[in-house]
Amino acid sequence: MSGYVLLDPVQAQFHDCFLPVIAAAPAALAACMVLACFVKPLFGRVPQWAKSFAVELPDARRHFSLGSKGSFQGYAAALLILSFVGFLLQMVAVFYPTFSVREVYLSISWAISAIFIATNNPRTTPYSLLVLYTSILASRIILLWQKHAQPLPHDIPAILESFAAFGAIVIILSMPMRESQILDNQVSPAFSESTNRLRSPEEQLNMWQFMTVSWMKPLMAVGSKRQLHDEDVWALGSEFQHQRLHTMFRQLKGSVTKRLLEANGLDLIIISAFGIVELLAGLSVPVLLQQLLRSIEDSNAPRGAAVTYALFSLIVSLVAAQCSVFKLWFSRRAYERSRGEMITMLYEKTLSRKIMGIRIDAQPAVRQEDLLARPVKQDFSSQNYFTRLYQCIWNFKPKPVFKQQNHDHEPIKQPASMGKILNLMRNDVYEIAQRFWEVDTLVTRPLGVFLSLVLLWRLIGWSCIIGVLTVFIAQAINALIARTLLQWERLRRGATDVKLKKVSEFVEAVRHLRWYGWQDAWLSHIMGARQRELNLRIVTSLWSILISFTNIFASGIFPVVAFYAYTTLAGQPLRIDIAFPALQLFTMLETHLREVPALITILLNATVAVQRIEDFMSEPDKLDSKAEPSSSSQLRLKGASFKWPEAVMPVLHNVTLAFPTGLTVICGEVAAGKSALLQSLLGELDHVEGEISRPNEMIGYCAQTPWLQSMSIRDNILFASPYEETRYKQVLEACALAADMANFKHGDLSNIGENGIGLSGGQKARVALARAVYSRAKILLLDDPLSALDHQTAERIVRRCLSGEVLTGRTTILVTHRTEICVAFAKQVVEVSGGTVHVVNPGSKPCQSLTKTLSPLSVEDTDGPADLDKVPDKFLEDEHRAFGGVKASVYWEYIKAGKLRWWFILICTLVGYRLIGVGETYFLKQWGEAYDDPKVGKTSNFFDKLPSPEENVRPWLIGFFLIVTAQSVSFLISQGIMLVIIYSAGRQMFRDVMTRVSHATFRFYDVTPIGRLMNRLTSDISTIDGNISQQFQDVARYGISWISSVIVIASVTPTFLIFVLGLIAGFVFIFVRFLPTSQSLRRLEMVSLSPLMSNFGALLVGLTTVRAFGVQGRFQDQKMDHFYWSLQAWLIYRFDVLASCSTFVLTLLAIYTGVSPGLTAFVLIAASKFVESTPSLCKQYAQLQMDFVSVERVVEMLHLEQESPGSINPPAWWPTSSGDIVFEDVTIRYAAHLDPSLSELSFRIKGGSSTAIIGRTGSGKSTLASTLLATILPESGRILIDKIDISAVDTQALRRRVTFLAQDPVLFPGSMRQNLDPLEEYTDEECDTVLHRICGRYQWSLDTKIDSGGQNLSQGQRQLVGLARALLRRSPIVILDEATASIDMETAMQIQQVLREELKDSTVITIAHRLEAVKNAEYCIVLSEGRLVRQGSAADLLSDGNGGFGDLLHS
């Protein structure tokens, strides 16, 4: 049946023959409901993708407490009554005034609705009934509208029936959407005060609250008054929480893509359905516009017909607005859940992944990331931007990467580095999740293209087929471009991985880099990697712009070619009612075509991201299959051999060993395999052969380098175990922590900062030990926790902990070099040598020699309370969040970074683009009106000169072609300029912020977690690199469009200006309510990402500990963006409703002011632009504000307090070997609100001497050492080195001439040569000599590969590399901070001898716990509680035999 049979376009009414179909529609829906009830049980198992995922089920314990299902109460009873009333009224309409078969259909629908309610007794929103009642109401209104112009008395039953249907709809909209059985007191009621103690009200909304998003009102009320905090925002609903998602997602099998589709398939279908409805509503606009223009043009058509079409447009717009809200909610659910599923999946994979390291025995090889990381040698400083862009394209070619090389085998995939894993979680996961959000575009964009073409066919006939050729040609070109873009995109992502890796390494090692004065050199490497990333980003952006330009130009040529065929070939006039609807369809088609290539691009990007995640997920997991589960808690090895992952040779050979209950001491030289033995027991090494038997239960593990989390001391010790006060206090006493807790203002509830930054080395070791001891593990593996402790503390821990009551009945395996204090309590002593293991007989001479080794020193009595460096209330400062709108100064910083001249050119280009658009509309108006009367409507000399289109249409076609071409060129220019701005701003801001961070005060590193810093240097910088300039461009474009639309409409209908004021007031009122809360939520979201990044980084560092304890990943929900987008839905709904009503009113103004059809079309096009621009301008401004939060956070980094560079440039000879170090009444305080860490220290260290600084852990030794590097300047007093006050010395020169070697030296990924001499200041011969002098026994070469952080070396080996680095520098002053703590006694004594020989001309300051450090020292300084206790020559202190220091040493 054709459209002309269904509808009378002139009268805007349905034909009488179609009215029975309208009346039968509700009955057909009712029949479908009945059919569904009978067919549903016939279906078998529903596929997983069609099921609701992670939906909370009713609690069976509460299910029967709410009454019988058969009792009708509340909503169900009201619906049943209304259905019965509606049925009675409808029966009256059937027989009165005459019998009507048409009315019978509606009575059937009422009857079925009543039966459905009676049999189902609905307690939640019955969606099928809602559709049915809506169809009844619509049918009844249409029948009444068409029946009479005014109602008659016999229409009263039908009218009352309409009210009954409306009442039923209202009741359904008021019904809860979820079963009351699953609601509990953990869900916040709608419109109650928002709090994080309760879950989101979304779990107990009614349909109306869900449709209008009115449930956000409480949060908005708080946000409008003050800044929001985490405790103000609800917790996520159960179906959004990561822990629940992970539990269900891990049960799915298959590839990542398959699992994601199964988990979110239902949402994808719902999103696509709403997207199609929204698309159809949008496509109906030009059809209704055509009918509206025809009714205005037709003198026979009543004015009411035009009003009817305007009313239809309003209804369609409101439906589209509601679908938009629904689609946004389900899209966000698919996005958030898929993102949570992938993040938790990566967490789990990281927990189970085999720890891979670079093989020491591997040959040096150049990796792809090393190639990408090479600094760019071009000097761009003197070149303009276009030259830079040209060189970027010319110099970087993807061909060598993808071309098959002449290799015998494929390159081995390297295991994912920490930088890549963080990049996977921060970028690739979001890339994939975004596709779930926009999944409807996969359907609506191609469908939109097809339907637009169909409507164009109906409008202009076969002529549109000619224009389709331009679409196919453009897509063929885009396909070729997209292939090249994909190759470049892979390169760009690789370059981003390299940059993130280098930034991550820099942030983690920034203290050490600055101690050595290497930060500037390291910064240059980062900037080289950054330049490579930017260059590749430019190339990928240029290819993307080329795709967009091809598409825009093709979509512009499409109407030109179509109009050419329509006017020239078909000989049809291009009238107003054809041109403007066609123009709208062309615009829609242009929009869809513009997004199709972008859709291809983002799908390609998502494909790359999926493959990267699949590659990571395919990395080998830790294997436990060869371990036989033991019924007892005893560990046994029989003929077992183990190797490090990726290594060729085993590190442990033929080990046969059983571990009895009690203490087992493991000793041996550095790198003998002691830690490897513990790792093999944990299952971290590859099991080559033999048997291993261990219980399948938690193991308490204390790593050699303590791993702590940024939380309180108590939480670190509990580590997810329940708190038992008596046992907890017992563990504190056993681990010598009770006295330390007394020195914290908040005791064990004090936050220790990231990785325990607020604790001394000894305190960190004891907290990690306490965590293992407190656990309920029957087996404890302790990897040298005594190395960082002074003798008294270590002896006390051995006596009270390792051999005390807390470890009774448990198997304790202790690796240590301090055997002299442990062997007497050991049940078994095991010596590891050269990868072999043998048990030492307690009565044998080797075992006795272990107890006779010189004891580390003790410095003071332990009976008193233990003191430590004063600690602050908070080690970490809360991350700053601005309040209110983003300040103008932040915008100005970004504008300056993008260069003012380019912004000016961009604005001019956008103005030109908009003027061309207005000119196109006006040109078509003149063209269409020229057919009726060539002399009418001519308003300029230009159009007077053109011939009538009926006589010669070619000039009009040429003019239209020139306009389209000008639009495409202006688009290309604006995109190119925007790319230049992105490049310039991103390059400058990253360089500036990295420079500020690398020269900030050391206090900044104390109070700033690594995760927070990484978040700003990665996530926020990524936002700046992304589409933030596009947001600027959109705001300018919509602003220009808004102004031009107002001018155009006001010039035709001045009455419109009055309406504009009211419309603007409405939009502003809504926007002002929205903006404060949205800004707070956005800032909270950015802040919440910092602990997410930090927690994930901490997980990677402490992976072995987490696995050993069997602690399941505790996942962090990302709730801020959930409520931010819920707030966006609140705004979108109100803006769309207001915009729809505004368009309706503007249409009525145009109809009743009596303007010509051409001007009406021109005004309506301008009005649609105005209505579109007004909310879009508000939303884009809000989005710009949200994105500029990232810029704001980066700009904050540009104002970091900088370390004073020093004003004195010391002479080259300074300091001399004879220059003294003098402390004159020095007081050191870390911050103004903290107690002094060092108080009134005065002493002199002779130049060229060897000095030992000793004291209990926490006495201020490391603080004193750091003051010699000017990392902390004295609050009072001064420090002189060779007669120069170091507070005024150039800090770079000072740190290059003073070497500070920390207990945990930082090593970088690369070769041994790069670790010894990163700046390449020494020759290969010098490096090789030092390496063999210190590490000769290991046969390392300068090409030996070092993994990130030196993870492929033992702690003792890392200390040896650090010693070799210090020896290579041969600085006049060398500070060794417990630099041999993890080295066995024999090796340490050899190293001491080497240091004495090689550093005989240097002033050596040693912080150590071993006696030989004091015996070989010429001068000793004893500290306690930050004060000087004793000082003098070592000989004098050692000869003190009056129960003082000498006796303490000799004990």
Side-chain angles (χ1 to χ4, degrees):
M1 190 180 294
S2 67
Y4 292 100
V5 176
L6 301 179
L7 182 72
D8 180 2
V10 177
Q11 300 296 326
Q13 289 187 345
F14 292 103
H15 287 292
D16 291 340
C17 62
F18 189 67
L19 294 181
V21 177
I22 296 175
L29 288 174
C32 291
M33 290 171 55
V34 175
L35 182 63
C37 293
F38 287 103
V39 172
K40 185 176 180 180
L42 301 179
F43 283 98
R45 180 178 176 272
V46 179
Q48 176 63 45
W49 58 266
K51 297 180 181 178
S52 297
F53 190 73
V55 175
E56 190 174 4
L57 298 176
D59 189 345
R61 293 171 298 180
R62 293 178 290 169
H63 184 77
F64 299 102
S65 63
L66 299 174
S68 170
K69 184 178 180 180
S71 61
F72 283 88
Q73 298 176 358
Y75 297 115
L79 282 177
L80 186 60
I81 293 172
L82 282 176
S83 295
F84 185 70
V85 170
F87 175 74
L88 293 178
L89 291 171
Q90 184 59 39
M91 292 304 296
V92 173
V94 170
F95 296 100
Y96 178 78
T98 59
F99 177 78
S100 173
V101 176
R102 190 173 64 188
E103 300 293 339
V104 173
Y105 297 130
L106 288 174
S107 64
I108 293 174
S109 60
W110 279 110
I112 292 177
S113 68
I115 295 172
F116 183 88
I117 296 169
T119 56
N120 290 276
N121 186 17
R123 295 172 180 269
T124 60
T125 305
Y127 301 106
S128 55
L129 283 179
L130 178 62
V131 175
L132 179 60
Y133 287 131
T134 303
S135 65
I136 292 174
L137 179 63
S139 298
R140 178 51 67 194
I141 291 176
I142 292 174
L143 293 175
L144 286 173
W145 181 269
Q146 298 235 152
K147 195 172 183 180
H148 304 287
Q150 293 188 359
L152 298 176
H154 62 262
D155 292 327
I156 293 176
I159 296 174
L160 293 177
E161 178 193 350
S162 301
F163 281 106
F166 180 76
I169 293 173
V170 171
I171 291 174
I172 292 177
L173 293 180
S174 303
M175 294 177 69
M177 298 176 64
R178 301 191 67 188
E179 288 281 356
S180 58
Q181 288 95 329
I182 62 176
L183 300 179
D184 52 38
N185 54 11
Q186 296 181 356
V187 179
S188 175
F191 305 113
S192 64
E193 183 181 359
S194 59
T195 173
N196 65 348
R197 296 188 300 273
L198 299 175
R199 298 205 301 268
S200 169
E202 290 164 291
E203 297 192 9
Q204 56 177 9
L205 297 178
N206 60 41
M207 192 64 184
W208 178 252
Q209 294 164 349
F210 181 67
M211 290 171 58
T212 60
V213 206
S214 57
W215 56 272
M216 287 291 294
K217 183 179 179 180
L219 192 63
M220 297 174 64
V222 178
S224 63
K225 297 176 183 177
R226 59 173 175 83
Q227 188 178 52
L228 291 176
H229 303 289
D230 182 77
E231 56 269 18
D232 297 320
V233 183
W234 298 291
L236 287 179
S238 57
E239 58 186 330
F240 291 95
Q241 292 176 357
H242 284 185
Q243 186 66 61
R244 181 177 177 82
L245 288 172
H246 175 67
T247 302
M248 303 189 70
F249 186 73
R250 68 195 309 268
Q251 298 174 4
L252 304 178
K253 305 299 180 185
S255 65
V256 174
T257 304
K258 180 175 179 292
R259 294 163 66 192
L260 287 172
L261 291 177
E262 286 187 358
N264 302 280
L266 185 60
D267 280 348
L268 303 185
I269 294 174
I270 294 173
I271 295 166
S272 301
F274 281 123
I276 291 173
V277 174
E278 196 175 2
L279 171 67
L280 295 176
L283 289 173
S284 65
V285 172
V287 176
L288 293 172
L289 175 64
Q290 181 188 25
Q291 299 301 329
L292 175 66
L293 293 175
R294 282 181 177 177
S295 64
I296 294 176
E297 194 173 14
D298 191 347
S299 58
N300 296 323
R303 182 174 289 180
V307 175
T308 301
Y309 287 122
L311 185 61
F312 283 166
S313 298
L314 173 63
I315 295 172
V316 167
S317 299
L318 293 177
V319 170
Q322 194 62 70
C323 287
S324 176
V325 172
F326 288 154
K327 189 186 74 172
L328 178 58
W329 192 88
F330 284 102
S331 299
R332 284 298 304 177
R333 187 170 78 168
Y335 168 82
E336 292 177 32
R337 298 209 300 190
S338 60
R339 179 190 64 189
E341 289 154 1
M342 284 185 285
I343 287 177
T344 54
M345 178 185 68
L346 291 177
Y347 262 90
E348 184 181 46
K349 178 63 181 180
T350 305
L351 284 169
S352 62
R353 171 175 170 257
K354 183 185 293 185
I355 299 178
M356 312 288 279
I358 302 172
R359 301 195 305 267
I360 294 289
D361 56 347
Q363 293 296 324
V366 179
R367 295 177 292 176
Q368 178 182 343
E369 65 180 30
D370 295 328
L371 293 173
L372 289 170
R374 289 177 180 169
V376 180
K377 296 182 179 180
Q378 292 92 340
D379 182 12
F380 293 109
S381 58
S382 60
Q383 301 172 356
N384 61 39
Y385 288 94
F386 297 106
T387 304
R388 298 181 192 177
L389 296 178
Y390 171 77
Q391 291 191 351
C392 290
I393 302 174
W394 182 261
N395 292 335
F396 295 93
K397 300 179 180 180
K399 184 177 179 180
V401 176
F402 297 94
K403 183 178 179 181
Q404 182 65 38
Q405 303 296 319
N406 295 325
H407 295 314
D408 296 332
H409 56 82
E410 291 293 328
I412 300 175
K413 288 184 178 180
Q414 294 291 337
S417 63
M418 180 176 177
K420 181 174 181 179
I421 296 175
L422 290 174
N423 194 19
L424 287 176
M425 191 178 72
R426 187 65 192 93
N427 294 324
D428 295 87
V429 163
Y430 284 75
E431 182 77 40
I432 299 169
Q434 191 73 19
R435 305 292 74 78
F436 283 83
W437 186 348
E438 302 167 353
V439 69
D440 62 299
T441 58
L442 296 177
V443 178
T444 57
R445 295 299 174 259
L447 184 62
V449 172
F450 173 75
L451 292 179
S452 299
L453 289 174
V454 170
L455 292 176
L456 279 171
W457 178 278
R458 290 175 57 86
L459 197 64
I460 62 177
W462 60 267
S463 303
C464 67
I465 299 298
I466 306 298
V468 171
L469 294 176
T470 60
V471 178
F472 285 111
I473 294 173
Q475 296 311 309
I477 295 173
N478 284 341
L480 297 175
I481 298 174
R483 291 184 60 187
T484 306
L485 174 61
L486 178 61
Q487 296 177 342
W488 283 106
E489 181 62 24
R490 287 174 179 162
L491 276 180
R492 194 219 28 108
R493 288 178 180 270
T496 301
D497 285 345
V498 173
K499 184 207 72 174
L500 286 176
K501 181 180 179 182
K502 288 188 173 295
V503 171
S504 176
E505 291 167 357
F506 174 80
V507 170
E508 291 174 355
V510 64
R511 292 172 177 274
H512 295 259
L513 292 173
R514 293 189 63 183
W515 287 341
Y516 284 94
W518 291 345
Q519 74 278 357
D520 291 335
W522 204 267
L523 195 57
S524 67
H525 294 311
I526 293 177
M527 296 312 300
R530 168 67 172 172
Q531 187 64 54
R532 169 69 62 149
E533 179 199 26
L534 282 177
N535 291 340
L536 291 173
R537 190 180 288 275
I538 287 175
V539 175
T540 55
S541 298
L542 285 174
W543 286 114
S544 297
I545 290 174
L546 185 58
I547 289 176
S548 299
F549 172 75
T550 303
N551 190 61
I552 289 293
F553 186 67
S555 61
I557 292 297
F558 183 12
V560 174
V561 176
F563 284 165
Y564 167 77
Y566 186 73
T567 56
T568 302
L569 300 181
Q572 298 293 326
L574 189 66
R575 299 188 179 277
I576 294 296
D577 62 332
I578 297 295
F580 282 96
L583 183 64
Q584 280 199 333
L585 288 172
F586 288 141
T587 302
M588 291 181 179
L589 185 61
E590 175 187 352
T591 301
H592 295 310
L593 286 175
R594 182 188 303 176
E595 294 179 357
V596 166
L599 190 63
I600 296 173
T601 301
I602 61 180
L603 283 177
L604 292 174
N605 291 341
T607 302
V608 174
V610 168
Q611 188 58 52
R612 284 159 55 86
I613 291 180
E614 292 279 13
D615 290 342
F616 176 69
M617 295 299 294
S618 65
E619 289 190 10
D621 288 338
K622 188 180 84 168
L623 299 177
D624 293 326
S625 56
K626 293 185 180 181
E628 300 178 2
S630 174
S631 58
S632 67
S633 61
Q634 188 177 32
L635 286 171
R636 292 193 304 273
L637 302 171
K638 183 177 180 181
S641 298
F642 302 90
K643 69 181 183 69
W644 292 104
E646 290 195 315
V648 177
M649 301 300 295
V651 67
L652 294 173
H653 312 272
N654 193 27
V655 178
T656 299
L657 190 62
F659 298 92
T661 301
L663 178 62
T664 296
V665 174
I666 298 177
C667 59
E669 295 182 347
V670 174
K674 304 182 297 300
S675 295
L677 179 58
L678 297 190
Q679 296 289 318
S680 66
L681 296 176
L682 290 171
E684 299 291 350
L685 301 191
D686 288 346
H687 187 185
V688 178
E689 60 181 0
E691 298 177 5
I692 175 174
S693 175
R694 64 171 176 265
N696 187 19
E697 60 184 30
M698 174 179 64
I699 294 177
Y701 177 64
C702 179
Q704 192 171 22
T705 300
W707 177 73
L708 302 175
Q709 295 176 282
S710 180
M711 53 180 61
S712 70
I713 296 173
R714 178 183 294 182
D715 289 336
N716 270 282
I717 294 174
L718 297 181
F719 203 45
S721 296
Y723 177 68
E724 301 174 25
E725 184 174 4
T726 302
R727 186 163 178 270
Y728 178 75
K729 291 182 177 179
Q730 186 181 18
V731 170
L732 289 184
E733 288 289 345
C735 296
L737 282 170
D740 294 282
M741 296 303 103
N743 289 276
F744 290 85
K745 182 175 181 180
H746 299 292
D748 63 339
L749 298 180
S750 300
N751 191 298
I752 63 173
E754 191 164 37
N755 203 25
I757 188 67
L759 303 180
S760 68
Q763 289 165 342
K764 287 192 284 187
R766 283 179 282 145
V767 171
L769 175 64
R771 176 175 56 203
V773 173
Y774 183 80
S775 71
R776 288 295 183 180
K778 297 179 181 179
I779 299 173
L780 302 183
L781 305 183
L782 312 177
D783 196 352
D784 204 11
L786 305 179
S787 61
L789 306 180
D790 62 82
H791 179 67
Q792 276 185 295
T793 306
E795 201 171 50
R796 181 182 179 185
I797 286 177
V798 170
R799 186 173 64 253
R800 296 191 180 184
C801 179
L802 301 182
S803 60
E805 181 182 351
V806 291
L807 295 185
T808 301
R810 302 165 80 176
T811 301
T812 305
I813 304 172
L814 172 68
V815 170
T816 184
H817 295 298
R818 307 177 74 166
T819 55
E820 72 284 350
I821 59 175
C822 303
V823 170
F825 303 98
K827 292 288 185 66
Q828 178 177 255
V829 179
V830 178
E831 185 174 5
V832 183
S833 177
T836 61
V837 176
H838 65 277
V839 178
V840 180
N841 189 335
S844 64
K845 290 185 177 180
C847 188
Q848 292 175 1
S849 66
L850 293 176
T851 63
K852 295 179 181 178
T853 307
L854 287 176
S855 183
L857 67 94
S858 303
V859 295
E860 53 186 78
D861 191 4
T862 60
D863 293 335
D867 291 321
L868 65 156
D869 293 344
K870 299 299 182 181
V871 294
D873 294 347
K874 280 187 178 181
F875 292 104
L876 302 179
E877 295 178 353
D878 292 333
E879 187 164 8
H880 171 70
R881 287 186 291 123
F883 178 65
V886 177
K887 296 180 180 178
S889 59
V890 176
Y891 291 103
W892 182 242
E893 288 284 351
Y894 184 80
I895 292 173
K896 287 192 300 182
K899 302 295 186 291
L900 294 178
R901 62 180 182 273
W902 295 115
W903 286 107
F904 176 76
I905 296 174
L906 177 63
I907 296 299
C908 292
T909 306
L910 293 176
V911 171
Y913 182 84
R914 176 56 185 152
L915 291 177
I916 293 172
V918 174
E920 179 186 22
T921 306
Y922 192 77
F923 184 86
L924 284 177
K925 168 192 170 296
Q926 292 295 124
W927 189 352
E929 290 182 339
Y931 284 98
D932 297 326
D933 185 357
K935 301 301 180 181
V936 175
K938 298 300 178 69
T939 57
S940 67
N941 293 330
F942 172 77
F943 291 104
D944 286 337
K945 296 177 182 179
L946 292 178
S948 170
E950 292 180 328
E951 300 172 359
N952 183 9
V953 78
R954 290 182 181 275
W956 297 90
L957 287 170
I958 293 173
F960 190 51
F961 170 77
L962 292 177
I963 292 174
V964 166
T965 304
Q967 269 193 314
S968 301
V969 171
S970 63
F971 170 81
L972 179 64
I973 294 174
S974 66
Q975 294 298 306
I977 294 172
M978 189 178 69
L979 179 58
V980 173
I981 291 173
I982 292 174
Y983 171 83
S984 177
R987 182 170 180 263
Q988 179 174 324
M989 296 194 81
F990 182 82
R991 182 183 64 241
D992 292 347
V993 75
M994 287 302 300
T995 302
R996 301 292 292 187
V997 169
S998 62
H999 292 89
T1001 62
F1002 277 77
R1003 178 63 183 167
F1004 170 73
Y1005 309 133
D1006 292 338
V1007 300
T1008 306
I1010 290 176
R1012 182 187 304 173
L1013 194 53
M1014 281 295 296
N1015 187 28
R1016 298 203 178 194
L1017 296 179
T1018 55
S1019 176
D1020 293 333
I1021 290 293
S1022 178
T1023 302
I1024 293 175
D1025 288 342
N1027 65 341
I1028 198 165
S1029 291
Q1030 180 68 46
Q1031 300 294 342
F1032 251 127
Q1033 184 182 14
D1034 288 343
V1035 169
R1037 180 164 57 87
Y1038 284 123
I1040 295 169
S1041 177
W1042 188 87
I1043 295 172
S1044 62
S1045 300
V1046 171
I1047 294 174
V1048 168
I1049 299 173
S1051 63
V1052 179
T1053 54
T1055 312
F1056 169 75
L1057 291 177
I1058 301 174
F1059 175 70
V1060 165
L1061 297 177
L1063 186 62
I1064 293 175
F1067 280 118
V1068 170
F1069 174 75
I1070 295 172
F1071 185 66
V1072 167
R1073 292 184 62 195
F1074 158 83
L1075 190 59
T1077 307
S1078 68
Q1079 289 172 334
S1080 287
L1081 286 172
R1082 182 66 170 178
R1083 290 187 173 111
L1084 273 173
E1085 178 193 356
M1086 300 305 296
V1087 170
S1088 68
L1089 286 177
S1090 295
L1092 180 67
M1093 299 283 285
S1094 181
N1095 292 344
F1096 195 71
L1099 176 68
L1100 294 175
V1101 175
L1103 186 55
T1104 303
T1105 303
V1106 174
R1107 285 175 176 172
F1109 279 88
V1111 179
Q1112 187 177 5
R1114 286 166 284 181
F1115 305 118
Q1116 175 185 341
D1117 293 322
Q1118 294 175 257
K1119 65 177 183 177
M1120 299 306 170
D1121 66 331
H1122 173 83
F1123 295 107
Y1124 168 74
W1125 283 102
S1126 297
L1127 193 64
Q1128 284 281 351
W1130 180 92
L1131 178 73
I1132 290 171
Y1133 177 76
R1134 283 151 182 80
F1135 268 8
D1136 286 351
V1137 169
L1138 185 58
S1140 300
C1141 296
S1142 303
T1143 305
F1144 178 69
V1145 173
L1146 287 172
T1147 305
L1148 294 181
L1149 286 176
I1151 292 173
Y1152 284 98
T1153 49
V1155 297
S1156 67
L1159 278 178
T1160 299
F1162 184 57
V1163 168
L1164 289 180
I1165 294 294
S1168 66
K1169 287 288 185 182
F1170 169 79
V1171 173
E1172 173 193 350
S1173 300
T1174 305
S1176 296
L1177 181 61
C1178 294
K1179 287 188 285 189
Q1180 286 301 135
Y1181 174 72
Q1183 187 60 44
L1184 182 68
Q1185 286 254 320
M1186 298 307 101
D1187 286 346
F1188 255 81
V1189 171
S1190 293
V1191 181
E1192 180 182 61
R1193 287 155 54 85
V1194 171
V1195 169
E1196 287 174 7
M1197 304 286 283
L1198 297 178
H1199 298 91
L1200 291 178
E1201 182 183 357
Q1202 297 292 281
E1203 183 182 60
S1204 174
S1207 57
I1208 298 178
N1209 188 14
W1213 49 262
W1214 181 89
T1216 62
S1217 59
S1218 59
D1220 295 347
I1221 300 174
V1222 180
F1223 276 63
E1224 296 181 351
D1225 199 24
V1226 172
T1227 296
I1228 296 292
R1229 194 190 302 266
Y1230 280 97
H1233 64 285
L1234 306 180
D1235 295 331
S1237 297
L1238 298 176
S1239 300
E1240 300 175 353
L1241 294 186
S1242 296
F1243 58 84
R1244 177 184 296 268
I1245 298 176
K1246 291 292 184 182
S1249 66
S1250 176
T1251 300
I1253 300 178
I1254 53 182
R1256 194 182 184 278
T1257 55
S1259 59
K1261 304 185 297 296
S1262 295
T1263 300
L1264 188 150
S1266 63
T1267 60
L1268 294 175
L1269 294 170
T1271 61
I1272 312 170
L1273 297 180
E1275 182 184 61
S1276 61
R1278 61 177 185 163
I1279 304 172
L1280 304 177
I1281 296 181
D1282 203 359
K1283 302 179 181 179
I1284 297 180
D1285 188 346
I1286 64 171
S1287 62
V1289 173
D1290 180 88
T1291 54
Q1292 189 74 1
L1294 173 66
R1295 292 164 191 167
R1296 296 295 297 274
R1297 302 179 195 185
V1298 176
T1299 296
F1300 178 74
L1301 182 58
Q1303 181 178 354
D1304 299 320
V1306 170
L1307 302 185
F1308 314 107
S1311 67
M1312 182 69 73
R1313 173 73 167 81
Q1314 293 168 334
N1315 273 275
L1316 292 178
D1317 181 25
L1319 304 189
E1320 299 183 356
E1321 296 176 320
Y1322 303 94
T1323 64
D1324 288 347
E1325 291 76 14
E1326 290 174 311
C1327 295
D1328 192 62
T1329 299
V1330 168
L1331 181 63
H1332 284 83
R1333 193 88 165 90
I1334 298 293
C1335 313
R1337 71 170 67 181
Y1338 303 110
Q1339 298 181 350
W1340 292 338
S1341 69
L1342 297 181
D1343 294 326
T1344 298
K1345 287 297 179 182
I1346 305 297
D1347 203 353
S1348 179
Q1351 294 178 1
N1352 55 337
L1353 303 179
S1354 70
Q1355 178 69 10
Q1357 288 175 316
R1358 291 198 288 270
Q1359 288 193 337
L1360 290 176
V1361 174
L1363 286 166
R1365 182 189 288 164
L1367 188 59
L1368 181 65
R1369 287 165 59 102
R1370 286 185 172 82
S1371 302
I1373 299 175
V1374 178
I1375 307 167
L1376 306 177
D1377 188 358
E1378 301 179 11
T1380 60
S1382 298
I1383 301 174
D1384 63 278
M1385 188 69 66
E1386 182 181 352
T1387 304
M1389 294 176 68
Q1390 295 173 1
I1391 294 298
Q1392 289 288 343
Q1393 180 61 32
V1394 171
L1395 293 178
R1396 284 195 297 272
E1397 294 173 1
E1398 298 291 339
L1399 301 177
K1400 58 184 178 181
D1401 295 328
S1402 301
T1403 302
V1404 180
I1405 301 173
T1406 304
I1407 299 172
H1409 295 140
R1410 284 186 169 147
L1411 177 59
E1412 67 272 9
V1414 180
K1415 289 185 63 178
N1416 299 320
E1418 301 170 14
Y1419 193 77
C1420 285
I1421 295 174
V1422 184
L1423 298 180
S1424 177
E1425 299 183 30
R1427 295 182 178 275
L1428 183 63
V1429 177
R1430 296 198 58 177
Q1431 64 174 319
S1433 66
D1436 293 340
L1437 295 181
L1438 288 171
S1439 63
D1440 184 0
N1442 297 323
F1445 192 77
D1447 288 344
L1448 195 59
L1449 292 176
H1450 288 298
S1451 65

